[in-house]
Amino acid sequence: MFSTLATGFNQPWRLRAALVLAAVVAVLLVWLASTTRPWQGVENKVFDIFTAASATRKVAVPVVILAIDEPTFAQLQVQWPFPRRLHAQVLDRLRADGALAAGFDIVFAEPSNAEDDVALAQALQSGLPVVLAASREKTESVNASQSTEVPPLDLFIGGRSVAGQIQVTPDEDFVVRRHTRRGDTFSARLAALAAPRDHADQADTGSLLIEYVGPRATFDTRSYYQALEPGLLPEGFFKGKIVLIGRSVRTAVELTASQSDMFNSPFSVADGADRLMPGVEVQANLISNQLTGGGLQPVDAALDWALVVVMLAVLGGVGMRAHPGVTAAVAASLAAGAWLLSYGLFAGHKLWLAPLFPTGVLVAVYGTSMLFNYVANRRRAQQVRMMFSQYVPKEVVAQLVVRPELLKLGGEVRELTLMFTDLANFTGMSERLTAEATVEVLTEYFNAMTPIIHRHGGTVDKFIGDAVMAFWGAPLDDPQHAQHAVQAATEMQLAMDALTEQLKARGLPAIAMRIGVHTGRVVVGNIGSHTRFSYSVIGDAVNLASRLEGANKAFGTSILVSDATAMRLPADIGLRLLDRVIVKGKSESIAVYTPCADATLVALSGQAVEAFYQQRWAVSEEAFRSLLQQKPDDGAAERFMRRIVQLRQRAVGPQDSAPLSLDKL
């Protein structure tokens, strides 16, 4: 589909064929996903946003709601259900005012006080057209579900009083978005009473989406008690109006069952309006739809697919010729166009074209193309690696493939952990070996150490004779660079033991390795000239790591670690404090450590060194003597014992127990 994807493939037509097949699969997957409940839930939220954005919030029909709300309970001081004589008094008021019709969003399915029932029945027969709510209750059992009709009492039906089905079916999020337009519904009955010519013999028109006028309280809403008490509403207030009477309680304890008649509002997602809309106001919206011809019709599925075909044709045509950036812009524009088209049909033509499906297909196909583009780029990157891995470390190659802008002189200041290794007495050994044997030993050595460094995330900077310089934390960030460097050093010494045995078995001399590890801020980057450069590090921290490697000889150790590295290590890596030393050119001393798994040696050494620098000679000497019993040939402890003897033989001052220079060890 996209010509740019052919890069790196020998036969572009195969790529295009594979891409077309993948696009077809992507479309099918999106189509299957669009039938799932989560997908439908998202589409419902889109419908809610469109509803909130396009709602006129202007009522075009003469509907008034008498709400049985908290103020009504406060004023009347009666329990629910209200005495039906109160409803009779309301009907008398509506008839006297000349109301067009009334609708009770209350099911009078059971008898109450006989006197009250008679009063309501007489009021219903007084000439005002009234629709009483009928409901449908669903009962579930193990084997089946059954719906039962719950009509009003026969006492209340007759004359101009009829029953209307009040049932609405909310979606899973309890938002009422759909209704079935039938002649026997509550809203249809009231619409027919209000406009008998337009709604006579109204045919069923199937399922429609509700066109909400606005959020809660968009319709003129008055408290129920205001119609009962004279003077609160002017005479003739209800003249020519359809009056809906129903519950609208949010917090009153008197209507604990009323939550069954409250629904989430489509407006809560977009504008933060009150989430709950009373069922009576839902009915007001349905009546408005009936009288104004409102309601939204879902478009035919064929239009969805036609839109998808057009969008993919445009995307494919552009992608075959344009730059990937242009293709991305076109894809984004097509997705935005699908949403604008959907909203235009929604707001202007009362058609619901869910934009999620065409957008999902577009994203899936475009994502598939990007995947193929990624594969092509990977192949191209492999060619780059093959070309340059002979000359620079593979870690640098990988970074250059991702960030080619690194191919320039200069660098950046970063905190890294550095390692220097060296072979003990290699110069003397090389003098006794032939050049071929010397190279063979070095090759074996480098081949054994380099993979360990790489395995722990390190970068081999360079080989300097028999020395290896490496660092952690660049070119890729590594928050645990100190830990990884010390772990690598420990594993390298273990590998050195095995290498020594192999060399002995082949008649080659045994070798030993010293390692220095230090953490500090350095300049790292491509250092050199425009024609020849290497990815390396420079700075004082590099020199200190090198000096620590050499200082192993004085301490009789194989690994020396600075305190800057030690403080960044986890507690489970045992470190033995060896001494405090001063680096040339610095005034502050640093502590040096060596990895040690023996907790006793770690404790004794720390105690002995600290006591020495506090000039508590007896404590220090005793601790070192205990340490030598554990490890008789310990060079660091023996050197401290000699220093203590010398200091005891003469008067000493604070400077006599000061740290020694690292360069003089």
Side-chain angles (χ1 to χ4, degrees):
M1 181 175 288
F2 303 118
S3 59
T4 55
L5 303 185
T7 306
F9 289 84
N10 295 328
Q11 296 184 352
W13 66 268
R14 289 186 177 179
L15 172 65
R16 291 183 182 132
L19 184 55
V20 170
L21 178 61
V24 171
V25 173
V27 172
L28 291 176
L29 288 176
V30 173
W31 176 70
L32 290 173
S34 66
T35 63
T36 63
R37 293 164 67 180
W39 184 288
Q40 294 296 326
V42 175
E43 283 195 342
N44 286 339
K45 294 307 177 186
V46 174
F47 177 89
D48 294 346
I49 293 172
F50 283 10
T51 295
S54 63
T56 63
R57 290 171 167 79
K58 295 180 180 179
V59 179
V61 294
V63 174
V64 175
I65 297 174
L66 280 180
I68 299 173
D69 52 13
E70 286 86 349
T72 295
F73 279 98
Q75 290 293 326
L76 299 183
Q77 295 294 310
V78 293
Q79 298 291 324
W80 183 260
F82 288 172
R84 288 175 181 171
R85 66 177 179 276
L86 296 181
H87 301 317
Q89 293 172 23
V90 169
L91 286 176
D92 291 340
R93 168 66 191 275
L94 299 183
R95 186 185 70 258
D97 270 11
L100 189 61
F104 278 93
D105 187 15
I106 304 168
V107 180
F108 300 122
E110 298 176 353
S112 67
N113 178 280
E115 184 179 346
D116 288 346
D117 287 350
V118 170
L120 178 57
Q122 290 175 349
L124 288 170
Q125 301 301 321
S126 62
L128 177 67
V130 179
V131 178
L132 299 178
S135 69
R136 185 177 292 112
E137 294 185 356
K138 188 175 183 180
T139 55
E140 300 281 350
S141 64
V142 177
N143 299 321
S145 61
Q146 183 178 0
S147 294
T148 304
E149 298 292 334
V150 183
L153 290 173
D154 292 339
L155 175 66
F156 300 142
I157 300 299
R160 304 197 69 183
S161 175
V162 297
Q165 183 55 243
I166 205 76
Q167 195 74 27
V168 293
T169 304
D171 293 323
E172 289 188 350
D173 54 0
F174 219 57
V175 176
V176 179
R177 300 182 180 90
R178 298 165 179 81
H179 72 107
T180 301
R181 185 168 290 182
R182 300 194 314 267
D184 64 346
T185 63
F186 184 83
S187 57
R189 298 277 195 193
L190 276 169
L193 291 174
R197 293 183 180 179
D198 297 336
H199 291 79
D201 302 325
Q202 180 180 18
D204 296 349
T205 56
S207 179
L208 293 176
L209 292 159
I210 302 174
E211 182 184 359
Y212 279 90
V213 177
R216 179 173 182 160
T218 297
F219 288 86
D220 187 3
T221 302
R222 306 300 171 120
S223 292
Y224 178 88
Y225 78 91
Q226 292 177 299
L228 290 171
E229 298 184 15
L232 295 182
L233 294 175
E235 278 189 39
F237 176 79
F238 296 104
K239 183 176 178 61
K241 297 178 181 178
I242 302 172
V243 183
L244 300 180
I245 304 161
R247 297 172 295 181
S248 181
V249 177
R250 308 183 197 191
T251 59
V253 297
E254 290 88 346
L255 283 181
T256 55
S258 68
Q259 291 300 320
S260 61
D261 200 31
M262 301 289 281
F263 304 92
N264 287 332
S265 166
F267 299 88
S268 61
V269 173
D271 60 12
D274 193 341
R275 290 182 59 86
L276 295 178
M277 178 176 284
V280 66
E281 193 158 358
V282 174
Q283 294 298 330
N285 279 280
L286 292 176
I287 294 170
S288 176
N289 284 191
Q290 294 272 0
L291 293 175
T292 62
L296 294 112
Q297 183 72 45
V299 302
D300 192 275
L303 183 57
D304 258 346
W305 285 102
L307 179 60
V308 166
V309 170
V310 171
M311 292 171 63
L312 293 184
V314 172
L315 184 65
V318 172
M320 291 286 288
R321 300 170 180 82
H323 185 274
V326 176
T327 305
V330 170
S333 299
L334 288 171
W339 283 76
L340 290 174
L341 173 63
S342 176
Y343 183 74
L345 292 174
F346 187 100
H349 300 277
K350 299 181 181 180
L351 293 174
W352 170 234
L353 169 66
L356 208 58
F357 176 67
T359 305
V361 169
L362 187 70
V363 170
V365 172
Y366 181 74
T368 302
S369 71
M370 290 300 98
L371 177 62
F372 274 80
N373 197 16
Y374 171 77
V375 172
N377 288 335
R378 288 284 295 177
R379 292 195 59 168
R380 189 161 55 247
Q382 289 175 0
Q383 294 174 353
V384 172
R385 288 190 180 93
M386 291 176 61
M387 199 178 300
F388 289 100
S389 60
Q390 304 174 54
Y391 310 107
V392 296
K394 64 180 182 179
E395 293 84 0
V396 179
V397 174
Q399 188 76 347
L400 295 180
V401 168
V402 178
R403 297 176 58 194
E405 69 272 13
L406 291 178
L407 283 172
K408 62 181 180 180
L409 293 179
E412 57 180 333
V413 177
R414 294 171 68 171
E415 182 184 85
L416 306 180
T417 297
L418 304 113
M419 172 191 287
F420 271 87
T421 77
D422 198 12
L423 295 180
N425 301 318
F426 182 77
T427 301
M429 183 188 70
S430 61
E431 293 175 352
R432 300 192 303 271
L433 297 175
T434 63
E436 292 80 2
T438 300
V439 171
E440 183 180 357
V441 171
L442 284 178
T443 301
E444 293 282 350
Y445 167 59
F446 292 143
N447 283 341
M449 299 301 117
T450 301
I452 298 175
I453 294 172
H454 289 171
R455 187 162 57 250
H456 288 274
T459 298
V460 176
D461 186 306
K462 59 177 70 72
F463 301 118
I464 311 170
D466 60 325
V468 178
M469 176 182 172
F471 53 84
W472 278 256
L476 302 180
D477 287 333
D478 180 4
Q480 298 173 297
H481 51 81
Q483 176 182 348
H484 293 155
V486 172
Q487 289 173 338
T490 303
E491 187 175 336
M492 289 165 69
Q493 288 294 5
L494 293 176
M496 198 67 190
D497 295 338
L499 177 61
T500 298
E501 295 301 321
Q502 293 176 14
L503 294 176
K504 286 181 179 180
R506 292 159 53 186
L508 295 172
I511 54 176
M513 176 177 62
R514 298 186 295 258
I515 300 177
V517 181
H518 174 58
T519 300
R521 296 184 68 79
V522 296
V523 176
V524 57
N526 295 300
I527 300 171
S529 68
H530 287 284
T531 57
R532 183 176 179 83
F533 56 84
S534 64
Y535 192 80
S536 186
V537 295
I538 56 174
D540 286 344
V542 179
N543 299 329
L544 180 53
S546 177
R547 292 175 183 174
L548 286 177
E549 174 273 312
N552 278 287
K553 184 187 302 184
F555 288 104
T557 55
S558 59
I559 301 174
L560 270 186
V561 176
S562 72
D563 53 3
T565 300
M567 65 185 297
R568 291 165 175 79
L569 298 179
D572 59 350
I573 295 182
L575 290 177
R576 175 188 167 190
L577 175 63
L578 294 174
D579 203 346
R580 298 181 183 275
V581 296
I582 295 179
V583 182
K584 184 178 181 181
K586 305 291 183 181
S587 59
E588 297 292 331
S589 66
I590 66 169
V592 291
Y593 300 81
T594 190
C596 180
D598 190 327
T600 302
L601 289 181
V602 170
L604 286 172
S605 186
Q607 178 185 356
V609 173
E610 293 299 332
F612 176 85
Y613 285 108
Q614 294 168 4
Q615 296 189 0
R616 295 186 295 142
W617 314 124
V619 174
S620 179
E621 185 178 34
E622 180 62 27
F624 277 126
R625 186 174 289 111
S626 299
L627 193 152
L628 286 170
Q629 290 177 356
Q630 297 280 336
K631 190 178 179 184
D633 58 346
D634 188 78
E638 290 175 347
R639 185 161 53 82
F640 267 109
M641 293 290 282
R642 290 193 296 270
R643 291 175 66 185
I644 292 173
V645 171
Q646 293 171 359
L647 290 170
R648 278 180 166 170
Q649 291 175 351
R650 56 187 173 85
V652 297
Q655 71 280 358
D656 291 302
S657 58
L660 299 177
S661 171
L662 180 61
D663 298 286
K664 295 180 180 180
L665 289 177

